[in-house]
Amino acid sequence: MKKLEALQKWVQEQHLDVVYISDHNSVGYFTNFISDPAERILGLFVFADADPFMFAPELSVGSAKKAGWTGDIYGYLDHQKPFAMIADLIKQRTSHHAVWGLEKDSLPVERFELIREQFPDASFPVNVSEFIRHMKLFKTPGEINLMEEAGEQADLAFSIGFNAIQEGRTEQEIVAEIEYGLMKQGIMQMSFDTIVQAGANAANPHGGPERHKIEPNQLILFDLGTNNKGYMSDASRTVAFGQLSDKQREIYDVCLEAQLAAQDAVKPGITAAELDKIARDIITKAGYGEYFIHRLGHGIGTTDHEFPSIMEGNDLELQPDMCFSIEPGIYIPGFAGVRIEDCVHVTENGCKAFTHTSKALNHIPVH
Ligand code: MN
Ligand code: MN
C-alpha cells in the first residue's frame, strides 16, 4: 500500500480535498484489486484529511477484500444510483466546496457531469493522470518481478507459436494454438489480441491475423504478450518460413541491427528521442526509413501502452526502473513486414530485457 500512501501525501501537498481514481487500471495499481467493471462504477476516493474508501459493484466487494483491500468499501446494486451514493459518502468526509483531482485522461464526461451536479460548489482544477503517469514511470522490484514472469510467458508463447507453423494453416489457427497452449498451463489472459501475420499481411502493423492459409517462403510476424497478475508483457519476433529472397532477408537484417543497436545503447541519461534516433538512423541509412512508420517504443506496466514514449521530440532522460519496448519495424506494402521487439527495464548501467527468445533469424522448415 506504499503507492496509496504516496498518493495521499501528494493529495495533501497539492492542497486537494478529494481525488477520484476512476480508471480500473489505476484502482488496481493503488490497491492490488485488479478488476474491469465494464459499464459499472469502480472507484477509489482518497482524501487529504480522511481515510480512503473504495466504491464498487456489490458483486465485486468480496473479490476486493480477497485481493487485500482492508479499508472502507461500499457496494452498490445495479438499480441504485452510484453517484448519489458516492456524493453522500464524500459529503461525510469533506466540504461542499471541495477541491477535486480527477483522472482527466479517462473519466467520461457523462460521469464528470453527474459528479458536478452533486457538487455545484466544488472545483476540479487538478489532473491526477499526470501524477499517476509520472509515478508509473518507475517500477518497484516487485513490479519488475511480475513483468519478468510475464516475459517468460511470452517466450513460452513464441515457442508454441513457432511450433504451430505449418503449410496450410491459417494465421488465426496459429493464434488459437498459442492461446490454447498457454491456457492449458494456467496463463489465462493475453495483454492484447495476439498478432500472427504472414507475408504482405504483416505490412499492416495494426492489422490482425487473417483466415487465409500460410504460404511458404515468407516472413511471419508474431506480436504477443500476457497479463501476469496485472502486469503486461509485449514482444515481437519475425521468423522465416521456408526460403527467403534477398530482399526479405535484408529487411530482417536491417531491422535486427536497429533493434540490437538501440537495446545496446540504453543506459541512464540517454533520452527517449536519442534512442529512437539510433534505431531510425540505421533503418534510414539502409533505405527503408519511409517504411518505419511508428515510434521506437512505448512504456509498459499495468497497461501495455503507457509512458514513456520512445520517440522523436521526447527529451525525457531514461532512468533506472523505467520499462519500455524497443520495437523497430519495416513494413513494405504488398511485400512483407518485420518487427522485432523486446521490452526492457533500465538498470544502473544498461538495461535488461523481459523476453529472451533468440532474435537471430529463425528458419522454420517447410515439410
Ligand atoms: Mn508488441
Ligand atoms: Mn509494443
Side-chain angles (χ1 to χ4, degrees):
M1 292 296 166
K2 283 212 171 75
K3 291 178 191 141
L4 184 53
E5 283 167 28
L7 175 61
Q8 248 168 331
K9 190 161 166 262
W10 180 81
V11 171
Q12 291 161 355
E13 284 165 3
Q14 298 292 309
H15 306 293
L16 298 174
D17 297 301
V18 53
V19 156
Y20 172 22
I21 302 299
S22 52
D23 180 279
H24 66 88
N25 263 308
S26 306
V27 174
Y29 181 72
F30 288 110
T31 68
N32 290 332
F33 176 48
I34 296 157
S35 170
D36 181 350
E39 79 286 5
R40 295 184 172 101
I41 308 293
L42 171 65
L44 175 69
F45 295 85
V46 181
F47 301 87
D49 303 315
D51 289 332
F53 70 82
M54 201 188 289
F55 189 86
E58 185 62 39
L59 50 77
S60 298
V61 169
S63 324
K65 289 180 180 168
K66 204 174 153 204
W69 177 254
T70 53
D72 288 341
I73 180 165
Y74 303 93
Y76 77 99
L77 299 167
D78 287 326
H79 67 276
Q80 293 180 306
K81 288 196 164 61
F83 282 98
M85 295 168 72
I86 288 168
D88 285 342
L89 293 163
I90 289 176
K91 285 168 187 170
Q92 292 163 23
R93 289 165 172 82
T94 188
S95 90
H96 289 255
H97 301 276
V99 181
W100 285 59
L102 298 172
E103 280 190 279
K104 294 190 180 183
D105 70 345
S106 55
L107 180 66
V109 175
E110 185 179 74
R111 292 183 182 178
F112 171 63
E113 288 177 349
L114 288 168
I115 295 166
R116 205 174 46 184
E117 269 170 38
Q118 298 284 344
F119 293 91
D121 303 321
S123 62
F124 306 90
V126 171
N127 184 6
V128 186
S129 309
E130 285 172 26
F131 170 73
I132 295 174
R133 261 177 230 143
H134 185 264
M135 201 171 157
K136 280 185 167 184
L137 274 178
F138 300 93
K139 267 66 179 182
T140 66
E143 290 177 309
I144 285 172
N145 279 343
L146 290 171
M147 292 173 74
E148 275 170 344
E149 275 176 27
E152 280 169 28
Q153 295 171 351
D155 283 329
L156 173 64
F158 282 133
S159 71
I160 296 169
F162 299 163
N163 282 326
I165 296 173
Q166 263 177 38
E167 193 171 359
R169 267 203 171 144
T170 69
E171 295 164 1
Q172 293 174 351
E173 284 171 322
I174 297 172
V175 169
E177 292 293 334
I178 291 170
E179 298 192 5
Y180 178 59
L182 291 177
M183 283 182 176
K184 281 194 288 187
Q185 304 210 33
I187 302 161
M188 300 305 288
Q189 241 191 318
M190 307 308 288
S191 51
F192 54 90
D193 291 344
T194 302
I195 292 173
V196 175
Q197 292 176 301
N201 189 30
N204 300 310
H206 266 186
E210 293 188 345
R211 217 174 150 68
H212 62 250
K213 295 187 191 315
I214 287 176
E215 312 261 338
N217 307 327
Q218 292 189 325
L219 290 162
I220 305 180
L221 190 161
F222 290 75
D223 189 348
L224 51 82
T226 64
N227 176 340
N228 179 40
K229 304 181 186 94
Y231 285 82
M232 309 300 164
S233 53
D234 176 12
S236 306
R237 290 293 184 272
T238 305
V239 300
F241 179 43
Q243 296 298 312
L244 293 189
S245 67
D246 289 349
K247 190 168 175 186
Q248 285 170 322
R249 177 78 212 204
E250 185 185 355
I251 59 173
Y252 186 87
D253 289 344
V254 169
C255 188
L256 179 60
E257 189 190 343
Q259 204 282 338
L260 294 174
Q263 193 162 320
D264 202 43
V266 176
K267 59 172 196 265
I270 192 169
T271 70
E274 284 164 354
L275 202 58
D276 180 280
K277 191 169 184 309
I278 286 167
R280 200 166 300 277
D281 281 352
I282 288 169
I283 292 174
T284 302
K285 274 188 195 128
Y288 296 105
E290 67 182 293
Y291 302 115
F292 179 15
I293 49 179
H294 53 70
R295 61 189 171 185
L296 180 64
H298 54 79
I300 184 163
T302 59
T303 58
D304 56 36
H305 281 187
E306 57 191 55
F307 283 77
S309 269
I310 310 299
M311 62 180 183
E312 184 182 343
N314 185 2
D315 295 324
L316 177 78
E317 287 187 9
L318 301 172
Q319 295 300 335
D321 305 326
M322 288 184 179
C323 298
F324 49 85
S325 71
I326 300 171
E327 51 177 307
I330 298 174
Y331 313 98
I332 303 180
F335 178 65
V338 176
R339 182 165 59 257
I340 304 168
E341 170 182 26
D342 277 324
C343 288
V344 304
H345 63 96
V346 183
T347 60
E348 290 305 321
N349 47 20
C351 72
K352 207 168 154 225
F354 293 114
T355 33
H356 305 288
T357 298
S358 171
K359 291 182 274 201
L361 183 59
N362 184 351
H363 291 275
I364 311 279
V366 181
H367 291 296

